[in-house]
Amino acid sequence: MRSTMQDYPLTIGGILRHGTTVHADSEVVTATGDGMRSMSYADLGRRAAKLANALRGLGITGDQRVGTFQWNNTEHLEAYLAVPSMGAVLHTLNIRLFPEQLTYIANHAEDRVVIVDAALVDLLAKVLPTFETVTHVLVAGPDAASVDLGLLRSSGKEVLLYEDLLSEQPDTFDWPDVDERDAAAMCYTSGTTGNPKGVVYSHRSAYLHSMAVGMGVSAGLTWEDRVLPIVPMFHANAWGLAYASLMVGASLVMPDRWLQAEPLVRFMEQARPTVSGAVPTVWNDVLGHLEQHPADLTSLRLVLCGGSAVPVTLQQALERHGIRMIQAWGMTETSPVASVALPPLGAEGERLWLYRGSQGRLLPGVDGRIVADDGQVLPTDGAAVGELEVRGPWVTASYYRDDDPGKFHDGWLRTGDVGTLDELGYIGLTDRAKDVIKSGGEWISSVELENALMGHPDVVEAAVVGIPDEKWQERPLASVVVREGATVTVADLRDYLAERFAKWQLPDAWTFIDAVPRTSVGKFDKKVIRRWYGEGEIDVEQPGH
Ligand code: ADP
């Protein structure tokens, strides 16, 4: 029997319509450095219509790609809404990528128009001449009129001021009917190996993912919330927080380019967010700042944190400032949020922190399994270790114009993450497959060592990588950043770890560095450490040698 429920499409256009009418009274607030500017969702809807008219006027039709080169701000949100709703495809460019990667992805996606923040004009100007399919650049933001556009113009592309263009447009748009399975947005993985790979989100996948992010099993959003996405809108769609907020009328508070701890904390005190999302490194910096300069951040009821493992010690330290941090796991390929580490009912004490330290419980719609090297599916018992595979309506089934069958397995996405899944659907990752340290046939988890080291009061950050070893194949090298003025030694740190790890798991090579190198999205960049080691660029202490 077929149901006769209406086949009403799940689209970004639907989110735009609902968010800017039913929730016309919510607002988007953007940091300006010394204050903030705000706009109601009603006005946001009118501006999205103006933008769609402007883009049509520039010749954007069908599923052509519109690139954005922007921080998290009102104008970026306008593009998030207007571009997919007019049937075109939003391509968020990661401003922190290397120039050659940006060139590759803009050409691979065949971007036509790029919207750029005035503050990022110089950065874009360096690569713009290599963007072969781009015809127009729109310069957005309150300072756009006072920025020197000479460099951009010398690229031969037509450069226009976003506000000038919008001011000429009607504030309604005849939004087309869009098939929910059509492309809405695309995002390239940061490409730690090889070329970046494009993931194409459909309207349906973005809609369902946003609903899941808004549910009580994730951020639990309502219009009483003020959501602060610190995670960039160019990194996996700011974890769905923008669309999820529009869907339920939560106001959005956008940090723009003020992402360092000091202005960020000031902005949080002013804008009073209730929910936020960012990678652990950002919160580590915020925490360091709070310890020197106490501030009242108790408006925050929930901080979602992920992108790399979130040490329990970081969560506990923030809890002492009245901030509850919950870990989430996901990847660009999974839209990204796939699991959230709210602990199970009744978990207390050590058991509670075990769950809070996990990568989280699978969201409804997302299936997970653990698979051995030989492809055999392992038990879901929290003990069997293998590669995590996932599937679901917001998990990609392929990459854009790039065959990579090795990443897919019988309809499941191979995540490249190694760990366990327990009977309650909690993921426990021990490593990324490429970072696992194989010593004498046994695996050593770099993540567990890092988390333990970062729990030492004198350690700010620590990254552990495998280095070649004649006898054991690989051994762990710990790169440690110590707190200013601390006098901690390798022997102290080894003793500290020895309380928690077997002797054979302890790093036998150590180096003290000024900062752990980061990738474009703020994760530890372990390949740089491996290179430093390989090229003899760091002083290494090997106490046992
Ligand atoms: P990239 O692969 O370029 O780093 P992504 O942002 O898509 O870009 O990264 C996804 C990866 O980030 C996951 O496969 C996983 O290795 C890591 N990751 C994300 N969240 C967590 C988490 N909570 N704990 C550990 N690793 C995480």
Side-chain angles (χ1 to χ4, degrees):
M1 181 170 63
R2 290 280 291 184
S3 151
T4 55
M5 293 306 278
Q6 296 176 8
D7 191 10
Y8 189 75
L10 310 176
T11 62
I12 304 298
I15 297 179
L16 164 67
R17 196 167 46 247
H18 183 78
T20 59
T21 55
V22 170
H23 297 297
D25 55 343
S26 295
E27 62 175 358
V28 48
V29 172
T30 296
T32 57
D34 48 8
M36 45 198 202
R37 53 193 172 106
S38 61
M39 183 188 290
S40 70
Y41 279 0
D43 284 340
L44 178 69
R46 287 189 269 275
R47 295 211 6 128
K50 281 170 174 272
L51 176 57
N53 281 309
L55 291 169
R56 235 356 146 239
L58 298 180
I60 292 295
T61 57
D63 62 359
Q64 287 182 340
R65 268 69 71 200
V66 175
T68 57
F69 202 78
Q70 295 176 282
W71 295 112
N72 294 7
N73 52 38
T74 310
E75 292 74 20
H76 206 169
L77 186 61
E78 289 164 5
Y80 256 56
L81 296 172
V83 175
S85 301
M86 67 187 284
V89 180
L90 175 82
H91 176 203
T92 49
L93 290 152
N94 179 344
I95 62 162
R96 299 200 186 108
L97 289 182
F98 290 115
E100 54 276 22
Q101 290 178 315
L102 278 169
T103 302
Y104 174 84
I105 66 177
N107 291 336
H108 191 258
E110 298 173 302
D111 294 340
R112 299 280 158 171
V113 171
V114 175
I115 306 173
V116 58
D117 277 358
L120 294 170
V121 155
D122 290 347
L123 200 58
L124 180 66
K126 292 196 183 120
V127 284
L128 188 59
T130 66
F131 287 11
E132 289 161 14
T133 50
V134 170
T135 55
H136 293 82
V137 176
L138 309 184
V139 183
D143 337 312
S146 56
V147 168
D148 179 3
L149 302 176
L151 268 182
L152 274 191
R153 293 217 157 99
S154 67
S155 66
K157 320 281 182 196
E158 190 165 346
V159 179
L160 300 163
L161 291 181
Y162 184 91
E163 288 304 328
D164 287 357
L165 196 60
L166 258 61
S167 68
E168 297 160 3
Q169 309 298 327
D171 64 4
T172 57
F173 185 79
D174 190 12
W175 301 106
D177 287 335
V178 172
D179 187 321
E180 66 175 22
R181 287 185 168 76
D182 280 348
M186 63 193 306
C187 201
Y188 281 72
T189 61
S190 23
T192 30
T193 49
N195 278 327
K197 294 193 188 321
V199 176
V200 179
Y201 306 111
S202 66
H203 284 264
R204 177 186 152 86
S205 74
Y207 197 102
L208 293 173
H209 174 257
S210 307
M211 281 191 109
V213 167
M215 285 171 80
V217 289
S218 323
L221 300 178
T222 73
W223 54 82
E224 293 183 337
D225 281 305
R226 293 171 69 77
V227 177
L228 168 70
I230 301 174
V231 48
M233 290 166 83
F234 57 72
H235 182 212
N237 285 322
W239 301 348
L241 290 171
Y243 291 140
S245 296
L246 258 295
M247 220 170 209
V248 300
S251 288
L252 278 159
V253 300
M254 304 291 210
D256 201 88
R257 61 183 188 275
W258 317 100
L259 300 174
Q260 306 72 21
E262 193 264 326
L264 194 57
V265 167
R266 202 164 6 106
F267 180 56
M268 288 195 268
E269 283 191 293
Q270 287 176 335
R272 313 285 303 153
T274 59
V275 173
S276 180
V279 294
T281 44
V282 167
W283 290 104
N284 227 353
D285 292 350
V286 166
L287 188 65
H289 180 81
L290 285 182
E291 296 194 333
Q292 303 296 321
H293 311 276
D296 177 11
L297 300 187
T298 50
S299 64
L300 283 169
R301 65 168 175 82
L302 173 72
V303 166
L304 284 179
C305 193
S308 53
V310 185
V312 161
T313 45
L314 175 64
Q315 300 181 37
Q316 290 171 333
L318 279 165
E319 211 139 290
R320 287 195 285 278
H321 291 272
I323 302 171
R324 186 179 197 218
M325 171 177 276
I326 293 289
Q327 172 155 206
W329 171 86
M331 354 173 26
T332 302
E333 290 85 336
T334 66
S335 292
V337 187
S339 62
V340 178
L342 288 165
L345 218 51
E348 280 175 28
E350 219 172 285
R351 188 163 167 265
L352 175 109
W353 285 105
L354 214 63
Y355 281 109
R356 292 278 300 271
S358 80
Q359 272 60 37
R361 198 173 211 173
L362 292 167
L363 290 181
V366 180
D367 286 344
R369 66 180 190 183
I370 298 293
V371 177
D373 280 349
D374 61 5
Q376 191 197 331
V377 178
L378 297 172
T380 303
D381 59 2
V385 176
E387 182 172 3
L388 173 66
E389 295 188 351
V390 291
R391 65 177 183 193
W394 56 89
V395 177
T396 196
S398 68
Y399 292 105
Y400 178 61
R401 286 175 39 210
D402 189 342
D403 260 358
D404 195 354
K407 283 287 286 185
F408 303 94
H409 177 201
D410 298 341
W412 295 73
L413 170 77
R414 296 182 59 185
T415 65
D417 286 332
V418 174
T420 59
L421 193 61
D422 76 6
E423 38 291 279
L424 293 179
Y426 284 84
I427 300 168
L429 293 186
T430 47
D431 244 315
R432 294 185 95 162
K434 60 178 185 288
D435 291 334
V436 163
I437 303 167
K438 292 186 191 103
S439 176
E442 298 279 353
W443 285 3
I444 299 177
S445 165
S446 63
V447 174
E448 280 168 19
L449 287 170
E450 285 161 6
N451 282 349
L453 277 170
M454 289 191 275
H456 188 286
D458 286 338
V459 174
V460 182
E461 281 178 350
V464 177
V465 299
I467 53 171
D469 183 276
E470 261 176 35
K471 181 162 174 206
W472 301 107
Q473 185 186 355
E474 269 187 341
R475 292 294 304 155
L477 159 72
S479 306
V480 181
V481 181
V482 294
R483 229 168 267 295
E484 225 177 279
T487 53
V488 69
T489 64
V490 166
D492 299 336
L493 292 176
R494 249 184 94 88
D495 290 350
Y496 178 77
L497 286 184
E499 291 167 20
R500 298 168 180 74
F501 292 88
K503 195 151 177 279
W504 62 271
Q505 294 174 315
L506 299 180
D508 29 26
W510 294 77
T511 180
F512 291 105
I513 55 177
D514 295 337
V516 175
R518 311 258 169 107
T519 69
S520 63
V521 292
K523 302 182 194 197
F524 288 174
D525 197 344
K526 296 193 180 183
K527 69 179 185 315
V528 171
I529 300 181
R530 290 191 197 98
R531 194 184 66 227
W532 283 349
Y533 177 79
E535 294 174 2
E537 282 181 36
I538 39 178
D539 293 329
V540 175
E541 280 185 54
Q542 290 183 287
H545 281 231

